[in-house]
Amino acid sequence: MTNTPDYRPMWTELGLDLDNHDALLDALGQLYSDTYLSQANRPEGMGYFDFVMGEVHGLRIKELVDARAQGKIVVGAFCVFVPEELVLAANGICVGLCAGADFGTEEAERYLPRNTCSLIKSFFGFALEKVCPYLQASDLVVGENTCDGKKKAYEIFQGMIPGQFMALDMPNTKSADGRAVLKKAYVELIEKLEELSGTTITVEALKDAIGVVNAKRRALHRLSALRQAVPAPISGLDALLANQVAFYDDPQRFTSSVETLCDELDRRVEQGEGVVPASTPRIVMSGCPMAVPNWKLPAIVEASGAVIVGEESCIGDRGQQNLVSDEGGTIDALIDNLVDRYFTIDCAVFTPNPDRAEHASAIADGARADGVIHYALQFCSPYQIEAPMLETAVERGGTPVLRIDTDYSAEDVEQLRTRVEAFVEQIGG
Amino acid sequence: MTNTPDYRPMWTELGLDLDNHDALLDALGQLYSDTYLSQANRPEGMGYFDFVMGEVHGLRIKELVDARAQGKIVVGAFCVFVPEELVLAANGICVGLCAGADFGTEEAERYLPRNTCSLIKSFFGFALEKVCPYLQASDLVVGENTCDGKKKAYEIFQGMIPGQFMALDMPNTKSADGRAVLKKAYVELIEKLEELSGTTITVEALKDAIGVVNAKRRALHRLSALRQAVPAPISGLDALLANQVAFYDDPQRFTSSVETLCDELDRRVEQGEGVVPASTPRIVMSGCPMAVPNWKLPAIVEASGAVIVGEESCIGDRGQQNLVSDEGGTIDALIDNLVDRYFTIDCAVFTPNPDRAEHASAIADGARADGVIHYALQFCSPYQIEAPMLETAVERGGTPVLRIDTDYSAEDVEQLRTRVEAFVEQIGG
């Protein structure tokens, strides 16, 4: 990061606490270097993602600031149920907000019960310590009524942020009436976006936006398919990073970078070239999303001699599966298309949610996985309670499952390593 | 209980585990005796409730068994969002299911994450240990999509019970679309009840049922109003018991017993006779429901020299507030009336939920409370996260708040006693 410009005036203007922010960036840089740059045999196409991560609080934030100066709005979100399509159609930029690091936890616990998951504590911590430039640059933060923790925590969180807040209502079931709830939420989001941006969302703009996001998803589907090759052409950490960057980056630039990476992986697959030997035990991860820089468990898995070949996760296949149809000549028809696609996301907050176990099994089968690791954040009741049901379904198909409950702290690293190594030995034997 | 008949053949027939059940009843009998019968100056009208509790797994269960033999259905529930009116109108009996004791916790934790609240672990424990005759006698158990824990736990629980199961869908907000979700859930419940009972719910039967449940609520409202007198004419433990028995007992017999109790309390109030001196510090409880035999915290509060004069709780004013209108000539109109009333329940699962803090403040003001104790079950995110917001609102009105997070175990009794005694001393000073 030696040649990067001085972003400190911009950070100050955004209201960041520079001391806290320096501490965060130093830790993040070290972690990235240790976790990512030390990997062997990386695809050249990952260079783009290394650059993006190096500039994650720099160039990308400058782009957001510049775009706002030109009249665009920035919308921050914490969940894959917030449709980027609508934000783009309103001349906006949609960004995922910081929620992946153990930072400001003590501060967060002044507002939240200790038995709150790390992800929620993290976004409180980032807001309270003033270290998330995405949050500071957001004109609007869109929360969503998914789990109890987020749903109720947003009631407090909305008083801590510089921009506006709106909660996207969501149903508990995928019934017809539940569908009406989600559709209404999207209609209300459109109203809010139009009000903030001074733009009226047209059919044409929404179709264009659907095309942009579909292209991004198609690129990620291609990446998911390529990872399934034996030997795996890319590490699980690198593939996860691409899925993480999908939430921050300019969508068109991102898509083209993923396609370039996939071209390279295509060649690797054709030549039978792997990032690891073909005999490496293959793991699929299933469970809670892993936001940047939550690489703890994947790093342990891959350091244990396995390779991660798929993610049944919001930051992964669950979040990116399926495309939105652009058929239809009215906004209403296109909103229905959006609801159709978003309603296929098999988040554990829905009841019942049998599709998720089927989806995890299908990914494991497609990727010829030797084992599935179910990853739940401590105190995340929806994923924790679903875990034994998913385990039963996946093991019925012949794939062993290891269940891990953890958080963002480093305290359990050695314990996790022991359990993961034993599992890798078991499935690799 | 010397003259009670031998219920063991009935319990065996219901599938109870007699050894486990003996252990439970012994513990419950001792706890009841220690907590309730040792109180001084109890109203004579509590004799009925002592009798009901003595026969809680005996005579009342025999009534259910006899009613089933005569063609009635028994419907079990865990939540005040399940309308007793609909069950009664379908020639059924609605009972609250066992969920208030630390029993079978170890068994429950084989199916549930440890970070699940005591209430949910309790109903799993009772089912797994086969000690809840209400559950065993239920033709149908109606769950509800309220909190994450219950919503997801029901997916597992439904496989553990002898009767049928249905989940009542619920919204996350009190919007028009949310209202449609609840109405649809009630329509589906009617269909299920009609199918099971072979009865068609008529307008007349539903109006009658609304009348029966309104009468029960009116009696409990009268009790709530009488408790507000200075000096308090009844202990908080006794008033809580009446609210708990409301979920088990025959509604008409219950109503008449509460009215008789209230007549006696009326006389006490007229004569200025209290169960404790007028100078006794007055506490309102606010938070999670306390199912039988969860008397731990109220017993500590009243043993600390305070008296509980109101409950902002599902087993208390939150669950019993407001009546259902019986205006309207169609089932559809009456369902709308039901939704109108049930939608006023200010459960913390809704977002936002400002009414609850107002309600707690109003109860505290009406009861001339010196302090409010917010009671949350450990791991109950909705109530835990709402606690600081409620605290701020209530303290703004001048009433101090003590926040307690606990569970059903006896481990923290001494610690709770210390905290409660300090609070009582503070507010009584």
Side-chain angles (χ1 to χ4, degrees):
Chain A
M1 282 195 258
T2 42
N3 291 323
T4 52
D6 181 10
Y7 293 120
R8 299 173 74 87
M10 174 179 79
W11 291 334
T12 303
E13 195 142 328
L14 283 171
L16 292 190
D17 179 312
L18 289 189
D19 289 343
N20 289 345
H21 190 246
D22 283 349
L24 174 73
L25 282 199
D26 283 352
L28 182 61
Q30 188 61 49
L31 179 65
Y32 191 74
S33 173
D34 293 348
T35 311
Y36 274 88
L37 304 182
S38 64
Q39 296 178 96
N41 202 13
R42 295 179 80 206
E44 280 178 27
M46 287 309 297
Y48 173 74
F49 297 94
D50 291 339
F51 172 75
V52 166
M53 283 306 296
E55 289 288 338
V56 68
H57 283 198
L59 187 58
R60 183 60 182 146
I61 299 301
K62 186 168 185 312
E63 288 179 353
L64 299 185
V65 169
D66 290 349
R68 290 176 85 190
Q70 287 159 28
K72 282 191 177 238
I73 57 168
V74 174
V75 176
F78 291 106
C79 178
V80 294
F81 273 96
V82 179
E84 184 174 10
E85 292 90 340
L86 295 179
V87 178
L88 294 177
N91 195 29
I93 298 173
C94 191
V95 290
L97 297 174
C98 311
D102 186 10
F103 201 91
T105 305
E106 218 168 293
E107 274 295 296
E109 287 177 355
R110 289 178 48 221
Y111 296 86
L112 293 168
R114 292 201 61 190
N115 52 275
T116 303
C117 81
S118 286
L119 191 148
I120 297 172
K121 280 185 192 167
S122 178
F123 71 71
F124 268 63
F126 273 82
L128 291 164
E129 301 279 4
K130 301 207 177 303
V131 291
C132 176
Y134 293 90
L135 180 65
Q136 299 299 122
S138 288
D139 298 287
L140 173 69
V141 172
V142 183
E144 25 41 69
N145 298 335
T146 43
C147 62
D148 288 343
K150 282 165 103 185
K151 176 174 75 175
K152 297 301 290 183
Y154 289 135
E155 295 176 16
I156 302 170
F157 184 69
Q158 61 190 270
M160 299 178 174
I161 60 176
Q164 294 190 38
F165 178 85
M166 101 171 252
L168 202 69
D169 197 14
M170 284 188 51
N172 287 308
T173 65
K174 289 179 174 174
S175 63
D177 287 284
R179 196 191 146 88
V181 169
L182 189 63
K183 183 172 178 183
K184 181 70 186 304
Y186 287 170
V187 169
E188 285 176 359
L189 178 57
I190 288 176
E191 288 165 7
K192 187 74 192 169
L193 293 169
E194 289 185 335
E195 175 204 319
L196 267 179
S197 66
T199 310
T200 300
I201 294 183
T202 63
V203 169
E204 203 183 2
L206 187 47
K207 285 194 179 197
D208 282 351
I210 288 171
V212 167
V213 182
N214 278 347
K216 176 159 107 170
R217 293 212 180 97
R218 256 191 227 101
L220 288 167
H221 298 173
R222 187 180 168 205
L223 176 60
S224 286
L226 283 162
R227 295 171 72 183
Q228 302 199 332
V230 181
I234 184 170
S235 72
L237 278 165
D238 277 338
L240 173 63
L241 185 67
N243 275 286
Q244 290 174 329
V245 168
F247 290 87
Y248 297 80
D249 201 8
D250 174 81
Q252 281 155 317
R253 185 174 59 206
F254 173 83
T255 301
S256 117
S257 305
V258 174
E259 295 288 6
T260 303
L261 171 67
C262 287
D263 292 342
E264 182 184 355
L265 300 184
D266 249 339
R267 290 191 297 275
R268 285 192 170 193
V269 171
E270 268 168 40
Q271 293 160 13
E273 183 190 343
V275 70
V276 288
S279 59
T280 306
R282 300 164 67 83
I283 301 269
V284 162
M285 304 291 296
S286 171
C288 291
M290 291 175 178
V292 169
N294 177 15
W295 304 306
K296 180 172 78 169
L297 186 56
I300 290 171
V301 171
E302 300 208 317
S304 301
V307 61
I308 298 169
V309 290
E311 268 107 22
E312 190 285 307
S313 168
C314 289
I315 298 182
D317 285 9
R318 186 192 314 128
Q320 301 296 348
Q321 65 186 319
N322 302 312
L323 303 178
V324 176
S325 163
D326 64 356
E327 298 288 313
T330 63
I331 294 290
D332 189 67
L334 295 175
I335 297 174
D336 274 324
N337 297 350
L338 283 168
V339 175
D340 283 343
R341 185 264 158 193
Y342 281 86
F343 233 34
T344 64
I345 299 173
D346 35 13
C347 173
V349 299
F350 293 105
T351 184
N353 189 38
D355 290 355
R356 188 178 151 233
E358 282 175 35
H359 192 198
S361 297
I363 296 172
D365 290 347
R368 285 162 281 187
D370 301 299
V372 168
I373 295 183
H374 188 278
Y375 158 72
L377 281 175
Q378 190 71 43
F379 309 123
C380 173
S381 301
Y383 283 90
Q384 286 183 313
I385 299 179
E386 228 174 67
M389 293 181 274
L390 185 134
E391 179 181 79
T392 302
V394 171
E395 293 199 333
R396 198 181 296 128
T399 311
V401 176
L402 173 68
R403 277 197 258 159
I404 300 272
D405 287 6
T406 184
D407 59 19
Y408 288 176
S409 79
E411 278 172 29
D412 61 353
V413 164
E414 289 314 315
Q415 191 198 338
L416 290 181
R417 197 185 305 283
T418 305
R419 292 186 62 202
V420 168
E421 282 174 354
F423 184 65
V424 170
E425 197 178 314
Q426 172 202 331
I427 62 173
Chain B
M1 283 194 256
T2 42
N3 291 323
T4 52
D6 181 10
Y7 293 120
R8 298 173 74 86
M10 174 179 79
W11 292 334
T12 303
E13 193 141 330
L14 283 171
L16 293 190
D17 180 312
L18 290 190
D19 289 342
N20 288 345
H21 190 246
D22 283 349
L24 175 72
L25 282 198
D26 284 352
L28 183 62
Q30 188 61 48
L31 179 65
Y32 190 74
S33 173
D34 292 348
T35 311
Y36 275 88
L37 304 182
S38 64
Q39 297 178 97
N41 202 14
R42 296 178 81 204
E44 280 176 28
M46 288 309 297
Y48 172 73
F49 297 94
D50 290 339
F51 172 75
V52 166
M53 284 306 296
E55 288 288 338
V56 70
H57 282 198
L59 186 58
R60 183 59 181 145
I61 300 301
K62 185 167 185 312
E63 288 178 352
L64 300 184
V65 169
D66 291 348
R68 290 176 86 190
Q70 288 160 26
K72 281 189 176 240
I73 57 168
V74 174
V75 176
F78 291 106
C79 178
V80 295
F81 273 97
V82 179
E84 184 174 10
E85 293 89 340
L86 295 180
V87 179
L88 295 177
N91 196 29
I93 299 174
C94 191
V95 290
L97 297 175
C98 310
D102 186 9
F103 201 89
T105 305
E106 219 168 292
E107 275 296 295
E109 287 177 354
R110 291 178 48 220
Y111 296 86
L112 294 168
R114 292 200 62 189
N115 52 275
T116 303
C117 81
S118 285
L119 191 147
I120 296 171
K121 282 185 192 167
S122 178
F123 71 71
F124 269 61
F126 273 80
L128 291 163
E129 301 279 5
K130 301 208 177 302
V131 291
C132 176
Y134 293 91
L135 181 65
Q136 299 299 123
S138 289
D139 298 288
L140 173 69
V141 172
V142 183
E144 30 32 77
N145 297 336
T146 43
C147 62
D148 288 342
K150 282 165 102 185
K151 176 174 74 175
K152 297 301 288 183
Y154 288 135
E155 294 176 18
I156 302 170
F157 185 68
Q158 60 189 269
M160 299 178 174
I161 62 176
Q164 293 190 39
F165 178 86
M166 98 171 256
L168 202 71
D169 196 16
M170 285 188 50
N172 286 308
T173 65
K174 291 181 174 172
S175 63
D177 287 284
R179 194 190 147 90
V181 169
L182 189 63
K183 183 172 178 183
K184 181 69 185 307
Y186 287 171
V187 169
E188 285 175 0
L189 178 58
I190 288 176
E191 287 165 7
K192 187 73 191 169
L193 292 169
E194 290 185 335
E195 175 204 319
L196 268 180
S197 67
T199 310
T200 300
I201 293 182
T202 62
V203 169
E204 202 182 3
L206 187 46
K207 284 195 178 195
D208 282 351
I210 288 172
V212 167
V213 182
N214 277 348
K216 177 160 107 170
R217 294 213 178 98
R218 255 190 227 103
L220 289 167
H221 298 172
R222 187 180 169 206
L223 176 60
S224 285
L226 283 162
R227 295 172 71 184
Q228 301 198 331
V230 181
I234 184 170
S235 72
L237 278 165
D238 277 338
L240 173 63
L241 185 67
N243 275 287
Q244 289 173 330
V245 168
F247 289 88
Y248 297 81
D249 201 9
D250 173 80
Q252 281 155 316
R253 185 175 59 206
F254 173 84
T255 300
S256 118
S257 304
V258 174
E259 295 288 6
T260 302
L261 172 67
C262 286
D263 291 342
E264 183 184 354
L265 300 184
D266 249 339
R267 290 190 297 274
R268 284 192 170 193
V269 172
E270 268 169 38
Q271 293 161 14
E273 184 189 344
V275 69
V276 287
S279 60
T280 306
R282 300 163 67 82
I283 301 270
V284 162
M285 304 291 296
S286 171
C288 291
M290 291 175 177
V292 169
N294 178 15
W295 303 306
K296 180 171 79 169
L297 187 56
I300 290 171
V301 170
E302 299 208 317
S304 300
V307 61
I308 298 170
V309 291
E311 267 106 23
E312 190 285 306
S313 170
C314 290
I315 298 183
D317 285 9
R318 185 192 315 127
Q320 300 297 346
Q321 65 187 319
N322 301 312
L323 304 178
V324 177
S325 164
D326 65 357
E327 298 287 314
T330 64
I331 294 290
D332 189 67
L334 295 175
I335 298 174
D336 274 324
N337 297 350
L338 283 169
V339 175
D340 282 343
R341 185 264 158 192
Y342 281 86
F343 233 34
T344 63
I345 299 173
D346 34 13
C347 174
V349 299
F350 293 105
T351 185
N353 188 39
D355 291 355
R356 188 178 151 233
E358 282 175 33
H359 192 197
S361 297
I363 296 173
D365 291 348
R368 285 162 281 188
D370 301 299
V372 169
I373 295 183
H374 188 279
Y375 158 72
L377 281 176
Q378 190 72 43
F379 308 124
C380 174
S381 301
Y383 282 91
Q384 285 183 313
I385 300 179
E386 228 174 68
M389 293 182 273
L390 186 134
E391 179 181 80
T392 302
V394 171
E395 293 199 333
R396 197 181 295 127
T399 311
V401 176
L402 173 68
R403 275 197 261 157
I404 300 274
D405 287 5
T406 182
D407 59 19
Y408 288 178
S409 79
E411 279 172 29
D412 60 353
V413 164
E414 289 314 314
Q415 190 198 339
L416 290 180
R417 198 185 304 283
T418 305
R419 292 187 62 203
V420 168
E421 282 174 355
F423 184 65
V424 170
E425 196 179 315
Q426 172 203 333
I427 63 173

